[in-house]
């Protein structure tokens, strides 16, 4: 009896060790290295990266290109899976890792042509802009190269490794954000078609020149003397559209084949891609304001911006503090 208990005891110990080793290998080991030194080729002089109590990186470099390359490396440390997912979504390449279920989404984004536009923009622009976006890509690729054997968990579950980052990838994610925050493109197409058929003057009877939300909050001539506003502001909710560009995915019917990891992860990704634009647009109302330098301690104006976007994990934005000669920005 003691022999049996001893065997079961050893099996339990081995099981615990195996589970611990698996968690360490796939979960703990891919976590960002925030202490020590990392050699990154392409950076001309040492760059200091300090993280505060919230994990926000503060990057100090001796040149703008070194600063941006370090930013690419550090951001890939924290967000590589999110970065790869968003560029794949915008390029219409999700089905390459999730299978046929993602094809309707890919078709939608390929129809938009974001990838072609991103490549075109990356090839153009001034020399300074190209140098910076290329430096950022080098930083991301340095991280991918250094961490081939311990990439974030999602890459292990989906059995693939990310392709090298190219400058156009940064542009195509900007296009994805534009699509997420825009819900008027269908109305604009309808307006253009009607204008072509009946002319601009008659089209004005059907389409207002300004949207209900296109007004100045302070000093708006439509504000009444008693402090109230015209009914135009009350039309905001009616202007909102809960539909999202990815609505085609709602009509996807899965087959009865066995559901693997890819299928389970795809459900989560599809929910994020379809839910995020809908919730963002429902709470649409970003605003900004400026304080004159006459009212600030430095004598310089202050610009504040409040983007009304959903909270998520990982979040939409990536907070970072960047400093180099002539640069000191945080946000």
């Amino acid at each position: 009896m003691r022999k049996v208990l001893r065997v079961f005891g050893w099996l339990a110990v081995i099981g615990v060790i195996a589970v611990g080793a698996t968690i360490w290998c796939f979960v703990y080991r891919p976590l960002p290295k925030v202490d020590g030194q990392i050699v990154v080729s392409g950076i001309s002089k040492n760059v200091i990266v300090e993280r505060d109590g919230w994990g926000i990186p503060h990057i100090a470099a001796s040149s703008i290109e070194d600063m941006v390359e370090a930013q690419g490396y550090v951001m890939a440390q924290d967000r590589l899976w999110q970065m790869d997912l968003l560029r794949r979504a915008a390029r219409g390449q999700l089905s390459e890792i999730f299978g046929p279920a993602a094809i309707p989404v890919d078709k939608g984004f390929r129809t938009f042509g974001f990838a072609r536009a991103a490549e075109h923009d990356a090839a153009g622009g001034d020399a300074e802009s190209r140098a910076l976006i290329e430096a950022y890509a080098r930083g991301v690729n340095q991280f991918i190269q250094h961490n081939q054997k311990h990439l974030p968990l999602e890459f292990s579950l989906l059995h693939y490794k990310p392709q090298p980052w190219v400058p156009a990838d940064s542009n195509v994610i900007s296009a994805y954000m534009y699509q997420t925050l825009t819900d008027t493109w269908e109305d604009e197409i309808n307006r253009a078609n009607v204008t072509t058929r009946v002319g601009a003057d008659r089209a004005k009877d059907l389409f207002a020149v300004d949207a209900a939300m296109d007004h100045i909050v302070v000093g708006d001539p439509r504000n009444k003397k008693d402090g109230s506003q015209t009914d135009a502001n009350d039309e905001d909710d009616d202007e909102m559209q809960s539909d999202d560009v990815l609505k085609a995915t709602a009509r996807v019917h899965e087959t009865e084949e066995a559901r693997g990891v890819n299928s389970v992860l795809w459900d989560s990704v599809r929910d994020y891609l379809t839910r995020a634009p809908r919730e963002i647009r429902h709470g649409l109302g970003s605003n900004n304001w400026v304080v004159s330098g006459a009212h600030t301690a430095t004598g310089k104006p202050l610009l504040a911006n409040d983007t009304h976007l959903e909270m998520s994990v990982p979040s939409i934005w990536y907070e970072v503090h960047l400093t180099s000669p002539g640069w000191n920005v945080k946000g």
Side-chain angles (χ1 to χ4, degrees):
M1 185 65 179
R2 289 182 180 179
K3 266 188 179 181
V4 174
L5 291 176
R6 191 177 295 115
V7 170
F8 276 110
W10 278 110
L11 289 175
V13 170
I14 293 172
V16 170
I17 293 174
V19 171
T22 301
I23 294 175
W24 179 86
C25 183
F26 291 102
V27 179
Y28 179 79
R29 190 171 66 163
L31 293 178
K33 180 181 179 182
V34 296
D35 297 313
Q37 295 183 344
I38 299 174
V39 178
V40 179
S41 61
I43 290 182
S44 60
K45 294 184 179 180
N46 288 346
V47 176
I48 298 175
V49 179
E50 294 182 333
R51 291 179 182 262
D52 59 24
W54 299 97
I56 298 170
H58 300 256
I59 301 174
S62 57
S63 71
I64 297 177
E65 286 194 24
D66 284 356
M67 177 185 74
V68 173
E69 184 167 346
Q71 180 189 8
Y73 191 99
V74 171
M75 191 167 179
Q77 277 188 316
D78 295 338
R79 300 288 189 90
L80 183 60
W81 161 244
Q82 181 188 28
M83 294 164 64
D84 190 65
L85 178 67
L86 292 182
R87 69 169 169 174
R88 281 185 172 276
R91 287 181 176 277
Q93 296 176 339
L94 291 172
S95 56
E96 293 178 5
I97 58 175
F98 291 112
I103 289 178
V105 178
D106 283 347
K107 284 183 176 180
F109 278 101
R110 293 198 180 203
T111 300
F112 289 143
F114 289 157
R116 294 190 300 274
E119 299 288 351
H120 178 270
D121 289 346
D126 58 90
E128 182 180 5
S129 298
R130 288 200 305 271
L132 293 180
I133 200 170
E134 288 169 2
Y136 180 86
R138 285 198 306 270
V140 176
N141 289 330
Q142 284 284 301
F143 175 80
I144 294 175
Q145 182 179 343
H146 291 174
N147 296 273
Q148 285 290 316
K149 294 183 179 179
H150 40 90
L151 291 166
L153 176 63
E154 292 84 355
F155 294 104
S156 299
L157 293 175
L158 293 170
H159 304 291
Y160 86 99
K161 292 185 178 181
Q163 295 294 318
W165 195 267
V166 296
D169 290 332
S170 299
N171 291 341
V172 82
I173 289 182
S174 297
Y176 171 83
M177 288 299 297
Y178 171 80
Q179 177 270 331
T180 301
L181 297 172
T182 302
D183 64 347
T184 62
W185 61 274
E186 290 176 299
D187 292 336
E188 292 172 4
I189 291 176
N190 291 335
R191 182 190 311 219
N193 289 334
V194 170
T195 301
T196 300
R197 288 175 176 270
V198 303
D201 291 336
R202 297 185 65 184
K204 290 180 181 178
D205 295 334
L206 296 175
F207 296 97
V209 177
D210 297 323
M213 296 175 66
D214 291 340
H215 64 271
I216 302 172
V217 176
V218 178
D220 189 345
R222 291 181 296 181
N223 290 348
K224 299 177 182 179
K225 292 183 179 180
D226 60 2
S228 62
Q229 294 180 320
T230 60
D231 294 338
N233 295 322
D234 298 331
E235 298 174 1
D236 289 355
D237 290 338
D238 295 334
E239 294 294 324
M240 296 298 180
Q241 297 181 4
S242 60
D243 292 342
D244 53 79
V245 178
L246 300 178
K247 56 193 175 188
T249 60
R251 296 192 293 270
V252 175
H253 298 284
E254 296 184 1
T255 61
E256 295 299 325
E257 57 189 75
R259 288 168 53 81
V261 174
N262 287 39
S263 181
V264 173
L265 284 177
W266 169 242
D267 287 345
S268 176
V269 169
R270 181 179 59 188
D271 177 65
Y272 170 76
L273 293 176
T274 56
R275 174 177 50 80
R278 182 168 60 249
E279 293 188 0
I280 288 171
R281 291 166 190 157
H282 180 73
L284 187 63
S286 299
N287 49 58
N288 59 75
W289 58 95
V290 178
V291 178
S292 168
H295 303 291
T296 66
T298 62
K300 296 180 179 180
L302 298 176
L303 170 64
N305 173 253
D306 180 14
T307 51
H308 295 182
L309 303 178
E310 69 164 359
M311 298 186 70
S312 61
V313 178
S315 63
I316 294 174
W317 305 123
Y318 180 82
E319 188 170 358
V320 64
H321 182 196
L322 304 172
T323 57
S324 68
W327 280 75
N328 186 356
V329 294
K330 181 179 181 181

